[in-house]
């Protein structure tokens, strides 16, 4: 146990125009324009006659008589414990049933939620939140259990920082809250320590007769012991940097200033949990709806695994007047993707994704074409091609040969400029204009801005934002330089380049084939052999990317908070994205297959990111510093930016523009603020709503 390592499971995203704002007072809760969806009480005219409340939404559709939303789902959650899971799919449950301290409105503004107001200290290290009074925990049957207090946030944080709970989200407290790192390492030591004198080479943590823990360093093969023992300081949960001054006053103490701290509060790591339930259930907290309570917009009243879920409106929620959907009924079906479109046409469900295989038929049909529309491309995930510097794929693909290639910068530059991302994205999102999705930097356009200047126009990023990495002439020029260098290093032609995609994603697979053919045609099949590998196992993420079982692969990352720093996180010192680092202990043994030149680049990159992370007072300086680090990654062809998610076709009786919006967190997962309509949204309705939304956003 050289270090406690939290698993990087991301997800999810913030609206960048608020990045680094460092607000010290409660922001305004009003939105830029009236959406026209708030159901106000009946008004009285001058004659004393009550007028009817409008039942028409901003797109002209009528609200359904019964505000119940029906949907199918094909995959069951393994846990609903939002303190443990970083999976966007699993966090959806908590997003709809647990109130966070703050939330987003439909335009991305951060507004009060469980906290009515807050302030930060002048040095940026202390954040104080004032909770709403009269908010209750409820069980699955809607019974009031007790009031929500600041102690529930404290208990949740201590749980998250207990290594025994194996919280994948703890990395958002590790290095953030005072003593979080120390507690994680101390509790990890408690789990693995062996009595002093019984240690082996596999046991590097011991506990002596006084209960003191030590970590061993430098194994002595002759003496069969560790040469050096370093004490692991004892630290208690009471020393964690979060405290309840009283039932309604919550304080976080940070290790360093984080002007974007408000934005991370919308991730499950910082949500509250009933202290007594955490103590009672421990690791079993929230494995179903009987051993968790709810304080959010909805109560998970029914949870029958692989059968159905039912969310029921929490009538006592502080914002109940803006929770319009009374009930959400989700039915499990392994064939949901196939069956949903037909069930939508029958009126049995209220939303369905329309696949690439069906969309042309729907658009050609006069009736169906009025039931389908695209969704917003909000950039909640950034996708990029990663070059793996620590390959572990099968010997049949000659990983040693790939190692020679990937360590050659001219080869990487050739590949960087050879990939026609427009063709790839066109295959990935059939029917969409590729320009809807393509990005030229890892950080999406519009994610972060400072005083009106978008982050992606800072420093060396501007040339990428305004350009296109695909350049056939440049690719060939770099490849001509690479060929003799690679041959001198002992390369074997052709270079086999395994590229994986999950068996269930035909669009992804088709895109890989397009890339294979396009790059091989450009650089020559005698030199390049991209091998498209269909992965049919149980865990694509764990067994391909995290295991280093690829040469080039489509990778993605979702922002955890609203600041450029979040996009550097997947490439941090022990990353499992492209292993462009000196060490990793997370999933497998590090091989160190990088050259001296590559290691020098790694050192330079981390010097840039280390400096950027310390820039917390001057946001202009901070953005310049992170832009220098990100552009360094691109300048040396470490990854190839590709696209952002969203924009797929669907049939829906909702209006997503009524709901919360952010390019991070769980805002887009929440049903709060939305209505169920009698009819589906058409593309014309969507386009009109989208233009109005952009105008209200000032875009």
């Amino acid at each position: 146990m050289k270090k406690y390592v939290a698993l990087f499971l991301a997800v999810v995203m913030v609206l960048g125009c608020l990045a680094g704002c460092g607000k010290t007072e409660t922001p305004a809760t009003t939105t830029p324009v009236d959406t026209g969806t708030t159901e106000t009480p009946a008004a009285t005219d001058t004659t004393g006659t009550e007028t009817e409340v409008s039942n028409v939404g901003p797109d002209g559709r009528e609200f359904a008589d019964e505000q119940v939303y029906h949907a199918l789902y094909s995959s069951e959650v393994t846990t609903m414990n939002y303190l443990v899971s970083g999976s966007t799919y699993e966090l959806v449950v908590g997003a709809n049933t647990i109130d966070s301290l703050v939330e987003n409105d439909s335009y991305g503004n951060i507004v009060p939620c469980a906290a009515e107001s807050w302030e930060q200290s002048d040095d940026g290290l202390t954040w104080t939140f004032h909770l709403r009074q009269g908010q209750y925990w409820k069980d699955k049957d809607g019974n009031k259990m007790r009031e929500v207090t600041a102690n529930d946030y404290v208990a949740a944080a201590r749980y998250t920082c207990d290594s025994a709970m194996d919280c994948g989200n703890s990395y958002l407290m590790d290095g953030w809250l005072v003593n979080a790192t120390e507690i994680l390492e101390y509790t990890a030591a408690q789990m693995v320590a062996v009595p002093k004198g019984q240690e082996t080479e596999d046991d590097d943590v011991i506990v002596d007769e006084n209960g003191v823990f030590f970590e061993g360093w430098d194994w002595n093969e002759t003496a069969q012991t560790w040469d050096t023992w370093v004490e692991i300081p004892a630290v208690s949960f009471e020393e964690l940097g979060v405290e309840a001054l009283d039932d309604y006053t919550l304080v976080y103490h940070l290790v360093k200033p984080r002007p974007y701290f408000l934005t991370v509060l919308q991730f499950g790591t910082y949500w509250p949990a009933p202290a007594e339930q955490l103590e009672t259930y421990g690791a079993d907290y929230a494995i179903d709806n009987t051993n968790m309570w709810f304080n959010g917009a909805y109560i998970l009243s029914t949870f029958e695994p692989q059968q159905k879920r039912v969310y029921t409106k929490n009538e006592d929620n502080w914002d109940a007047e803006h929770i319009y959907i009374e009930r959400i009924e989700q039915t499990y079906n392994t064939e949901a993707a196939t069956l949903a479109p037909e069930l939508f046409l029958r009126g049995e469900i209220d939303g369905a994704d329309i696949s690439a295989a069906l969309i042309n038929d729907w658009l050609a049909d006069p009736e169906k074409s009025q039931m389908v529309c695209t969704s917003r491309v909000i950039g909640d995930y950034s996708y990029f091609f990663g070059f793996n510097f620590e390959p572990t794929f099968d010997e049949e693909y000659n990983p040693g040969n790939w190692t020679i290639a990937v360590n050659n910068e001219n080869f990487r530059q050739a590949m960087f400029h050879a990939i026609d991302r427009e063709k790839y994205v066109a295959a990935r999102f059939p029917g969409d204009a590729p320009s809807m999705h393509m990005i030229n930097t890892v950080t999406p356009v519009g994610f972060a801005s400072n005083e009106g200047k978008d982050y992606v126009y800072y420093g060396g990023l501007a040339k990428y934002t305004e350009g296109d990495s695909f350049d056939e002439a440049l690719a060939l020029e770099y490849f001509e330089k690479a060929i003799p260098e690679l041959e001198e290093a002992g390369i074997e032609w052709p270079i086999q380049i395994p590229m994986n995609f999950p068996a269930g994603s035909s669009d992804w697979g088709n895109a890989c084939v397009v890339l294979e053919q396009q790059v091989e045609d450009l650089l020559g099949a005698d030199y390049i052999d991209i091998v498209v590998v269909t992965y049919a196992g149980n865990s694509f993420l764990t067994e391909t990317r995290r295991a280093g079982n690829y040469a080039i692969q489509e990778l993605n990352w979702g922002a955890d908070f609203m600041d450029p720093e979040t996009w550097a996180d997947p490439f941090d010192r022990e990353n499992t994205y492209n292993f462009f680092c000196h060490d990793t202990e997370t999933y497998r043994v590090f091989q160190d297959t990088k050259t001296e030149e590559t290691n020098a680049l790694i050192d330079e990159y981390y010097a840039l990111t280390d400096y950027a992370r310390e820039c917390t007072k001057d946001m202009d300086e901070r953005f310049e510093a992170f832009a220098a680090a990100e552009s360094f990654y691109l300048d040396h062809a470490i990854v190839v930016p590709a696209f952002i998610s969203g924009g797929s076709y669907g049939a829906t009786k909702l209006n997503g523009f009524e709901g919360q919006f952010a390019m991070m967190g769980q805002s887009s997962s929440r049903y709060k603020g939305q209505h169920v309509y009698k009819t589906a949204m058409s593309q014309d309705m969507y386009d009109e709503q989208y233009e109005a939304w952009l105008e209200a956003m000032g875009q």
Side-chain angles (χ1 to χ4, degrees), residues 182-487:
E182 291 78 3
I183 291 173
L184 283 162
E185 293 186 351
Y186 187 68
T187 54
Q190 292 176 318
M191 295 171 61
V192 301
V194 298
K196 181 179 179 181
Q198 297 183 24
E199 67 275 8
T200 68
E201 187 174 1
D202 294 327
D203 303 308
D204 61 353
V205 179
I206 62 170
V207 57
D208 68 11
E209 59 277 5
N210 298 314
V212 179
F213 294 89
F214 295 88
E215 184 175 4
W217 291 84
D218 304 320
W219 177 255
N220 188 317
E221 192 66 36
T222 302
Q224 288 293 292
T225 188
W226 299 93
D227 284 339
T228 305
W229 291 101
V230 179
E231 182 177 345
I232 301 173
V235 57
S236 68
F237 287 110
E238 287 72 21
E239 297 174 80
L240 182 63
V242 55
E243 60 177 328
L245 299 186
D246 55 47
D247 282 351
Y248 310 109
T249 309
L250 175 68
V251 180
Y252 289 103
H253 299 282
L254 306 187
V255 173
K256 67 176 184 180
R258 293 186 185 264
Y260 46 85
F261 183 63
L262 284 179
T263 65
V264 80
L265 302 178
Q266 297 162 82
F267 202 73
T269 311
Y270 286 88
W271 296 348
E276 59 268 48
Q277 286 212 318
L278 294 179
E279 183 176 354
T280 298
Y281 296 113
D284 289 334
Y285 172 69
I287 58 172
D288 60 32
N289 67 334
T290 65
N291 56 0
M292 64 185 299
W293 294 342
F294 313 96
N295 75 325
Y298 293 93
I299 296 163
L300 186 60
S301 52
T302 301
F303 176 65
E304 299 174 4
Q306 298 185 343
Q307 293 187 54
K308 66 179 178 179
R309 305 179 199 143
V310 177
Y311 297 85
T312 303
K313 177 180 176 178
N314 181 1
E315 298 288 353
D316 295 312
N317 184 267
W318 68 274
D319 204 20
E321 64 176 317
H322 296 123
I323 304 169
Y324 306 118
I325 300 176
E326 298 285 340
R327 197 166 67 256
I328 301 159
E329 298 183 357
Q330 300 175 338
T331 303
Y332 177 83
N333 192 305
T334 56
E335 302 299 321
T338 302
L339 297 175
E342 180 60 31
L343 294 181
F344 181 87
L345 292 173
R346 296 180 191 172
E348 296 181 29
I349 60 175
D350 302 306
D353 292 332
I354 307 302
S355 68
L358 293 177
I359 188 58
N360 289 333
D361 289 340
W362 276 59
L363 292 176
D365 184 281
E367 185 175 354
K368 292 179 183 177
S369 64
Q370 298 305 304
M371 300 181 184
V372 67
C373 64
T374 54
S375 62
R376 273 181 295 191
V377 182
I378 61 174
D380 51 355
Y381 275 85
S382 175
Y383 292 75
F384 42 87
F385 300 107
F387 299 125
N388 180 11
F389 288 83
E390 292 282 336
T392 63
F393 50 79
D394 290 345
E395 285 297 326
E396 67 175 299
Y397 303 126
N398 200 347
N401 203 46
W402 167 255
T403 297
I404 295 173
V406 76
N407 278 280
N408 182 284
E409 182 162 334
N410 281 323
F411 169 78
R412 295 198 308 275
Q413 292 285 6
M415 294 296 295
F416 183 92
H417 294 290
I419 297 174
D420 187 337
R421 298 172 306 134
E422 184 172 347
K423 289 183 178 178
Y424 184 91
V425 172
R428 195 74 168 83
F429 299 93
D432 287 3
S435 58
M436 292 172 58
H437 302 274
M438 288 172 57
I439 55 174
N440 299 326
T441 53
V442 174
T443 302
V445 175
F447 174 81
S449 65
N450 177 47
E451 297 182 349
K453 182 178 179 180
D454 195 309
Y455 163 74
V456 297
Y457 285 94
Y458 272 80
L461 290 181
K463 65 179 180 290
Y464 292 102
T465 301
E466 296 172 341
D468 185 351
S469 62
F470 177 56
D471 187 324
E472 291 186 340
L474 201 52
L476 291 170
E477 180 182 330
Y478 276 115
F479 201 50
E480 287 178 7
K481 295 177 183 178
I483 289 173
E485 295 173 348
L486 292 172
E487 289 179 343

Side-chain angles (χ1 to χ4, degrees), residues 28-83:
T29 59
T30 55
T31 54
V33 296
D34 183 3
T35 62
T37 61
T38 302
E39 293 179 307
T40 54
T44 304
D45 63 21
T46 55
T47 63
T49 304
E50 285 192 348
T51 58
E52 291 186 8
V53 175
S54 173
N55 69 338
V56 177
D59 57 15
R61 290 181 295 162
E62 290 186 14
F63 301 151
D65 296 331
E66 184 181 33
Q67 285 298 300
V68 179
Y69 182 74
H70 301 88
L72 296 183
Y73 69 101
S74 61
S75 178
E76 192 57 84
V77 297
T78 58
T79 181
M80 295 179 288
N81 189 342
Y82 44 87
L83 302 177

Side-chain angles (χ1 to χ4, degrees), residues 105-178:
D105 66 14
S106 57
Y107 301 96
N109 300 306
I110 295 176
V111 296
C113 187
E116 290 183 307
S117 62
W118 54 85
E119 62 270 353
Q120 63 170 306
S121 60
D122 291 339
D123 62 8
L125 295 177
T126 303
W127 289 75
T128 303
F129 295 86
H130 306 283
L131 305 187
R132 296 181 188 277
Q133 299 185 28
Q135 291 303 295
Y136 286 84
W137 290 110
K138 289 188 171 183
D139 67 10
K140 69 179 184 65
D141 298 317
N143 300 310
K144 285 185 179 180
M145 307 310 290
R146 64 163 176 80
E147 196 171 8
V148 180
T149 72
N151 291 298
D152 296 317
Y153 293 85
V154 174
R158 292 176 179 178
Y159 180 99
T160 301
C161 291
D162 184 351
S163 294
M165 296 299 106
D166 194 22
C167 295
N169 292 338
S170 62
Y171 69 93
L172 288 173
M173 288 185 174
D174 185 1
W176 289 58
L177 301 186
V178 169

Side-chain angles (χ1 to χ4, degrees), residues 487-531:
E487 289 179 343
E488 183 178 355
I491 203 74
E492 298 177 15
W493 305 112
I495 303 168
Q496 295 187 78
I497 306 175
M499 186 177 189
N500 302 293
F501 77 94
S505 180
S506 59
D507 292 341
W508 189 344
N510 292 337
C512 288
V513 172
V514 167
L515 186 148
E516 173 193 12
Q517 295 172 344
Q518 179 259 314
V519 173
E520 289 181 1
D521 286 347
L522 176 60
L523 299 183
D526 291 339
Y527 294 99
I528 301 295
D529 179 16
I530 295 176
V531 184

Side-chain angles (χ1 to χ4, degrees), residues 94-114:
N96 285 287
T97 60
I98 304 294
D99 269 349
S100 49
L101 288 166
V102 298
E103 63 185 10
N104 294 101
D105 66 14
S106 57
Y107 301 96
N109 300 306
I110 295 176
V111 296
C113 187

